[in-house]
C-alpha cells in the first residue's frame, strides 16, 4: 500500500450533537491515485466479539479537490468501502456520522473512537498514524488519556471550539476513549505514585460528579494497592473515565491508559451503592496489566477485521475478576466480610450452574463472542460467560495453593510480578502470550504440575465448582436459612425491580417481584413441576403472588408433605403447578473451617497503608 507513510490521517470528532444521539467525523486521509479500500472496525478489543458500529454509520461522503467520489461497499465484507482516487489527489476527505444511543445523555457523552474511524484496509492498525481533534458542546469538560497538544498535561484545557491531541496510531486511538459532560470533575489521585492517575467524572445531575471524599480515598487506595501488587505499569498516564447516569447505561470497558466506566446516577452516592459497584474500577484498572499489556495471542490481531479467539479468556477475564475483587477489598470499596459473602454467592451460583454437566469452562471462553447478553431463558443450562467466575475460583485456588505449598512465603502476587511485569515499566503496548508461558511463570514461583492443574479445572467437564480455594482459604461453602448481610445490602441497593425473591437454591427459579420467571434451574424442583422461563406466577398457596408470599410458602412447606401450589400464566393459558419441595429457604454463605488458618482474610489485607476519609470507615454489617 503506498503513501500512508508518516503523514497521519487527521480526524476531527464532533460531539456537539451528542444529546441528539449522533456523532460526526471529518477525516483527511493521505492517499495515492488508484483503487483504495477503507475499512471501519469490526472486532472491538475488550468486547471479545464483532461489535463494530457499521450498521450505525451513516452519511458517508468522500470528496477530493472539491469533487464527490463514488464508492461501493464490499459484497462480502460489509465493513469495507471501495473507491478510486483520481490522479493528482494526495488527500481524501471523508465525512461520516454515527448513530449513538448508548453511553450518551443530554448532559454527557462517551466517545469510543471505533465509532468514527475509517482507515486503509490490509494495513496493521498500529502502523497507521493518526492525529485526532475533538469538538464538544460549549462549556463541557473533557477527560481522556490522549495528550492535549496545547498544554501536554491535564485537565484538558477548555478549548474554544476544537481541541487538538498529539498524533498516535489507529490501534492506540481506538484504545483512548473520551468522556465529556456539562457536569464534569477531574480529580488527581494518589499523588505519591508515578505516573499520574486521574478520575474524570461526568454526571446527569450537577452534584453527582463531585465524588464523596470517602470514594476518592478508596480510588486512591486502589492506585496504591495496584502499584504495590503489580510493581510495574504500562501507561504514561492513567485516567478512570466514569459516567453517573440512569440514561447513559452501565459500562466497564478496559483500555491501556484509561477505562470507560458507567454506573447509575447514585452509583457511588452511599456505601450500599458503592458496594454494588465495588469491583468495577479495580477490575477495569487491572486490565491495563492483564488483558491490555499481557494479552492471549488469539485475542491480539493486527487489525480489527480478523476474528479474535477467546480460548484464554479465563486468564484475561477470570484472573482479572479475581484480582478486581481482591483489590476492591484491599482498597476499602468493601470489607473483608463483604468480600467473603460475595465469594459465597458466586461459588454457589457456579456450583448450581447445571450447564456445567455438558460443557467445559474452556468452551464458554472459546464461544465467548456468542455468549454475551442474550435471552435469560434456560441460561443456567446453556451457561453464560462463566470463564469470568470460574476463572476467579481457579486463581483463588492457585493463590491459596501457592501459599500452602510455601508456608505463606509466596503467593499469586509473586506470579503477577513475573507475568505482568516483563519488560519493566513501559508505555502502552501489547505483549501476547500462550498457555505454556503461564505454566512456566507459575513454576518459577513454586514447582508443581501446573499444566495439569489448569487443564483439569478448565478443559474438563466438572460437575461441581472449584471450591478448593475457599477451603484452602480456611472456609466452607454452606447454605443458611437467611441471606447474608451483604446479599441484603445488594438487594437494597439494586432496588425492588432488579431483585426479586432469591429462591434459586431452594425451588430453583429466578423470579421478579411481579412474578415473571426469568430462568428455571434445569433438574431443580420447579423444573420437575414443569415451570418454564417466560411464565408468570399469578398466585401462590391461594394468595395473589408477591415475593414475600412466595418466600413464606417455601418456609411453610418445610417439613410438611404438602407441595407449594402455584397458579401460572403461560402465554395466553393458565395452569396449575405443584412444587414438591420441603427444604426451606437456602442462601449461600462462608463459615470458618475450625483449626485452619484464615488465609482469605490474609489475601484481602491491604499491602499499603490505606487512606480513609475520617468518620467514613466501614464495618461489616451484623
Ligand atoms: Zn473484564
Amino acid at each position: 500500500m503506498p503513501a500512508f507513510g508518516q503523514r497521519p490521517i487527521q480526524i476531527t470528532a464532533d460531539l456537539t450533537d451528542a444529546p441528539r444521539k449522533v456523532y460526526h467525523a471529518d477525516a483527511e486521509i493521505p492517499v495515492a491515485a488508484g483503487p483504495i479500500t477503507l475499512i471501519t472496525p469490526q472486532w472491538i478489543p475488550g468486547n471479545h466479539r464483532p461489535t463494530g458500529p457499521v450498521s450505525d454509520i451513516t452519511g458517508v461522503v468522500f470528496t477530493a479537490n472539491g469533487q464527490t467520489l463514488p464508492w461501493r461497499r464490499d459484497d462480502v465484507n460489509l465493513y469495507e468501502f471501495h473507491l478510486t482516487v483520481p490522479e493528482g489527489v494526495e488527500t481524501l476527505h471523508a465525512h461520516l456520522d454515527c448513530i449513538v444511543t448508548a453511553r450518551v445523555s443530554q448532559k454527557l457523552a462517551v466517545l469510543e473512537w471505533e465509532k468514527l474511524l475509517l482507515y486503509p484496509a490490509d494495513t496493521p492498525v498500529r502502523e497507521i498514524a493518526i492525529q485526532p481533534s475533538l469538538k464538544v458542546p460549549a462549556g463541557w469538560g473533557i477527560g481522556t488519556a490522549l495528550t492535549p497538544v496545547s498544554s501536554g498535561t491535564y485537565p484538558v484545557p477548555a478549548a474554544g471550539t476544537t481541541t487538538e491531541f498529539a498524533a498516535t496510531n489507529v490501534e492506540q486511538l481506538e484504545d483512548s476513549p473520551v468522556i465529556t459532560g456539562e457536569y464534569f470533575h477531574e480529580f488527581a489521585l494518589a499523588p505519591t505514585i508515578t505516573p499520574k492517575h486521574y478520575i474524570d467524572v461526568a454526571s446527569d445531575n450537577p452534584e453527582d460528579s463531585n465524588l464523596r471524599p470517602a470514594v476518592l480515598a478508596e480510588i486512591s487506595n486502589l492506585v496504591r494497592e495496584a502499584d504495590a501488587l503489580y510493581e510495574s505499569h504500562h501507561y504514561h498516564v492513567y485516567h478512570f473515565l466514569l459516567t453517573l447516569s440512569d440514561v447513559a447505561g452501565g459500562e466497564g470497558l478496559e483500555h491501556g491508559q484509561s477505562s470507560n466506566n458507567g454506573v447509575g446516577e447514585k452509583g457511588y452516592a452511599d456505601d450500599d451503592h458503592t458496594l454494588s459497584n465495588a469491583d468495577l474500577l479495580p477490575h477495569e484498572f487491572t486490565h491495563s496489566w492483564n488483558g491490555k499489556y499481557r494479552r492471549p495471542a488469539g485475542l491480539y490481531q493486527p487489525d480489527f477485521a480478523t476474528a479474535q479467539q477467546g480460548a484464554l479468556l479465563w486468564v484475561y477475564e477470570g484472573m482479572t475478576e479475581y484480582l478486581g475483587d481482591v483489590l476492591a477489598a484491599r482498597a476499602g470499596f468493601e470489607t473483608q466480610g463483604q468480600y467473603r459473602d460475595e465469594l459465597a454467592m458466586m461459588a454457589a451460583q457456579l456450583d448450581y450452574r447445571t450447564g456445567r454437566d455438558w460443557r467445559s469452562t474452556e468452551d464458554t471462553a472459546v464461544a465467548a463472542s456468542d455468549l454475551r447478553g442474550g435471552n435469560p431463558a434456560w441460561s443456567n443450562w446453556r451457561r453464560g460467560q462463566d470463564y469470568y467466575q470460574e476463572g476467579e475460583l481457579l486463581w483463588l485456588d492457585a493463590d491459596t495453593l501457592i501459599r500452602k505449598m510455601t508456608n505463606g512465603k509466596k503467593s499469586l502476587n509473586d506470579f503477577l510480578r513475573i507475568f505482568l511485569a516483563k519488560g519493566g515499566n513501559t508505555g502502552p503496548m501489547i505483549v501476547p502470550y500462550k498457555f505454556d508461558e503461564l505454566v512456566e511463570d507459575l513454576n518459577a514461583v513454586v514447582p508443581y504440575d501446573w499444566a495439569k492443574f489448569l487443564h483439569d479445572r478448565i478443559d474438563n467437564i466438572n460437575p461441581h465448582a472449584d471450591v478448593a480455594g475457599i477451603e484452602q482459604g480456611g472456609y466452607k461453602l454452606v447454605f443458611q436459612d437467611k441471606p447474608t448481610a451483604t446479599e441484603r445490602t445488594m438487594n437494597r441497593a439494586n432496588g425492588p425491580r432488579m431483585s426479586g425473591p432469591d429462591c434459586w437454591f431452594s425451588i430453583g427459579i429466578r423470579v421478579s417481584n411481579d412474578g415473571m420467571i426469568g430462568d428455571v434451574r434445569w433438574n431443580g424442583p420447579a423444573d420437575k413441576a414443569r415451570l418454564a422461563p417466560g411464565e408468570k406466577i399469578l398466585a401462590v398457596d391461594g394468595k395473589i403472588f408477591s415475593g414475600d408470599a412466595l418466600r413464606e410458602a417455601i418456609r411453610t412447606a418445610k417439613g410438611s408433605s404438602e407441595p407449594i401450589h402455584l397458579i401460572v400464566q403461560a402465554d395466553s393459558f393458565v395452569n396449575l403447578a405443584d412444587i414438591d419441595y420441603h427444604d426451606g429457604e437456602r442462601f449461600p454463605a462462608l463459615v470458618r473451617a475450625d483449626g485452619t488458618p484464615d488465609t482469605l482474610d490474609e489475601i484481602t489485607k491491604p499491602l499499603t497503608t490505606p487512606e480513609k476519609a475520617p468518620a467514613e470507615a466501614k464495618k461489616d454489617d451484623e
Side-chain angles (χ1 to χ4, degrees):
M1 277 270 174
F4 306 121
Q6 294 313 305
R7 206 152 57 95
I9 296 174
Q10 290 183 304
I11 181 170
T12 301
D14 178 355
L15 303 194
T16 55
D17 263 343
R20 301 172 63 227
K21 319 289 193 238
V22 60
Y23 297 177
H24 314 290
D26 287 281
E28 307 292 333
I29 304 172
V31 290
I36 184 174
T37 301
L38 300 174
I39 192 166
T40 184
Q42 179 179 4
W43 283 82
I44 306 305
N47 288 356
H48 319 311
R49 57 188 180 136
T51 52
V54 70
S55 57
D56 292 318
I57 287 179
T58 182
V60 181
V61 178
F62 298 102
T63 51
N65 290 343
Q67 305 290 312
T68 299
L69 300 184
W71 56 270
R72 192 176 195 288
R73 191 185 299 272
D74 191 82
D75 287 295
V76 175
N77 185 344
L78 306 183
Y79 296 75
E80 286 186 346
F81 295 77
H82 301 297
L83 58 162
T84 301
V85 177
E87 282 302 325
V89 169
E90 292 180 347
T91 302
L92 176 69
H93 180 90
H95 176 90
L96 63 84
D97 305 313
C98 188
I99 301 161
V100 179
T101 52
R103 310 298 292 127
V104 64
S105 76
Q106 296 302 302
K107 299 295 181 187
L108 58 85
V110 177
L111 170 64
E112 293 281 1
W113 286 89
E114 67 264 10
K115 298 209 176 303
L116 298 177
L117 287 174
L118 264 180
Y119 49 86
D122 306 321
T123 305
V125 285
R126 68 176 167 275
E127 293 174 14
I128 304 173
I130 189 163
Q131 189 263 308
S133 299
L134 179 70
K135 291 181 190 171
V136 300
W140 285 26
I142 297 170
T144 180
L146 291 169
T147 310
V149 167
S150 65
S151 65
T153 185
Y154 306 95
V156 174
T161 48
T162 303
T163 307
E164 271 184 57
F165 295 96
T168 178
N169 59 55
V170 167
E171 181 175 271
Q172 281 300 314
L173 184 61
E174 193 282 334
D175 201 36
S176 305
V178 174
I179 185 178
T180 181
E182 181 174 344
Y183 307 125
F184 177 84
H185 278 85
E186 180 176 90
F187 302 93
L189 302 165
T192 58
I193 304 289
T194 49
K196 290 185 170 150
H197 298 73
Y198 301 90
I199 182 160
D200 301 279
V201 194
S203 59
D204 281 344
N205 288 315
E207 68 274 18
D208 293 328
S209 58
N210 192 10
L211 291 178
R212 292 185 293 143
V215 172
L216 289 172
E218 286 157 7
I219 302 168
S220 280
N221 287 342
L222 169 62
V223 169
R224 277 189 296 273
E225 285 295 324
D227 185 67
L229 178 58
Y230 303 135
E231 293 186 346
S232 67
H233 52 78
H234 308 291
Y235 42 80
H236 299 306
V237 65
Y238 192 88
H239 286 258
F240 295 91
L241 310 179
L242 173 65
T243 62
L244 300 169
S245 168
D246 291 347
V247 175
E251 180 65 292
L253 183 59
E254 63 273 22
H255 293 284
Q257 305 202 98
S258 60
S259 48
N260 168 0
N261 306 283
V263 299
E265 253 172 45
K266 302 299 173 196
Y268 292 100
D270 55 51
D271 283 352
D272 285 5
H273 284 89
T274 302
L275 175 65
S276 309
N277 297 311
D279 73 329
L280 175 65
L281 300 179
H283 178 109
E284 304 308 338
F285 189 34
T286 291
H287 269 318
S288 176
W289 290 264
N290 185 40
K292 286 293 161 180
Y293 177 59
R294 298 314 313 272
R295 190 164 323 161
L299 283 167
Y300 183 37
Q301 303 298 346
D303 53 39
F304 303 129
T306 309
Q308 296 172 12
Q309 298 163 34
L312 287 176
L313 277 167
W314 51 273
V315 191
Y316 182 122
E317 292 296 357
M319 191 162 76
T320 302
E321 194 75 0
Y322 175 58
L323 297 170
D325 281 343
V326 167
L327 282 170
R330 287 184 190 166
F333 291 102
E334 60 188 9
T335 66
Q336 293 183 306
Q338 287 165 340
Y339 167 87
R340 292 193 308 268
D341 288 348
E342 291 193 41
L343 184 59
M345 283 187 267
M346 193 263 286
Q349 294 285 356
L350 287 179
D351 204 42
Y352 279 68
R353 188 68 50 93
T354 46
R356 60 187 314 125
D357 286 343
W358 73 270
R359 83 193 296 181
S360 66
T361 293
E362 187 191 38
D363 187 59
T364 68
V366 171
S369 60
D370 196 38
L371 282 175
R372 187 165 282 211
N375 193 320
W378 299 118
S379 61
N380 78 101
W381 181 230
R382 182 190 59 166
R383 297 193 86 171
Q385 298 173 288
D386 290 3
Y387 51 84
Y388 279 84
Q389 285 81 20
E390 295 279 356
E392 174 158 11
L393 288 185
L394 167 87
W395 291 105
L396 173 64
D397 188 353
D399 195 354
T400 51
L401 183 60
I402 295 169
R403 288 168 194 260
K404 195 168 114 183
M405 288 193 290
T406 62
N407 290 318
K409 288 191 187 66
K410 299 245 174 107
S411 70
L412 196 70
N413 301 1
D414 297 278
F415 165 76
L416 300 174
R417 287 161 193 165
I418 300 170
F419 179 63
L420 300 179
K422 281 176 191 167
N425 293 330
T426 71
M429 60 187 292
I430 301 156
V431 181
Y433 64 87
K434 294 186 172 161
F435 179 86
D436 289 350
E437 190 183 334
L438 298 169
V439 173
E440 200 174 295
D441 290 355
L442 284 163
N443 268 310
V445 177
V446 55
Y448 188 65
D449 192 348
W450 288 109
K452 181 175 183 339
F453 174 93
L454 297 172
H455 282 309
D456 281 354
R457 285 155 184 76
I458 297 299
D459 307 351
N460 291 352
I461 301 285
N462 291 305
H464 284 286
D466 175 13
V467 294
I470 291 171
E471 288 165 4
Q472 285 157 184
Y475 288 81
K476 280 185 304 204
L477 175 63
V478 298
F479 288 89
Q480 301 176 337
D481 60 6
K482 287 193 175 50
T484 60
T486 305
E487 186 174 348
R488 294 199 305 274
T489 304
M490 305 261 263
N491 287 343
R492 204 160 59 222
N494 291 334
R497 199 176 57 82
M498 292 291 289
S499 41
D502 177 0
C503 43
W504 187 248
F505 304 106
S506 54
I507 59 174
I509 53 171
R510 293 191 204 289
V511 62
S512 65
N513 277 322
D514 61 3
M516 287 303 301
I517 300 177
D519 197 10
V520 173
R521 177 153 58 78
W522 196 256
N523 274 333
D527 183 25
K528 291 181 177 134
R530 308 296 294 162
L531 292 187
E535 293 178 348
K536 183 175 185 181
I537 307 177
L538 303 176
V540 50
D541 281 353
K543 293 180 190 153
I544 292 294
F545 177 86
S546 70
D548 287 343
L550 180 61
R551 288 186 61 183
E552 193 190 326
I554 294 169
R555 288 193 294 266
T556 304
K558 187 176 184 180
S560 143
S561 57
E562 191 70 11
I564 300 164
H565 302 289
L566 303 179
I567 301 174
V568 176
Q569 178 183 346
D571 303 329
S572 53
F573 296 85
V574 172
N575 301 326
L576 299 177
D578 284 352
I579 302 181
D580 196 16
Y581 172 79
H582 306 283
D583 289 328
E585 293 197 283
R586 297 174 80 240
F587 304 95
L590 297 190
V591 295
R592 283 283 283 134
D594 294 337
T596 60
D598 191 339
T599 305
L600 284 190
D601 276 8
E602 182 64 28
I603 287 172
T604 51
K605 221 167 58 185
L607 302 179
T608 65
T609 309
E611 179 186 307
K612 277 280 178 198
E616 294 252 17
K618 287 174 197 170
K619 55 182 191 323
D620 283 338
D621 289 343
E622 72 285 5

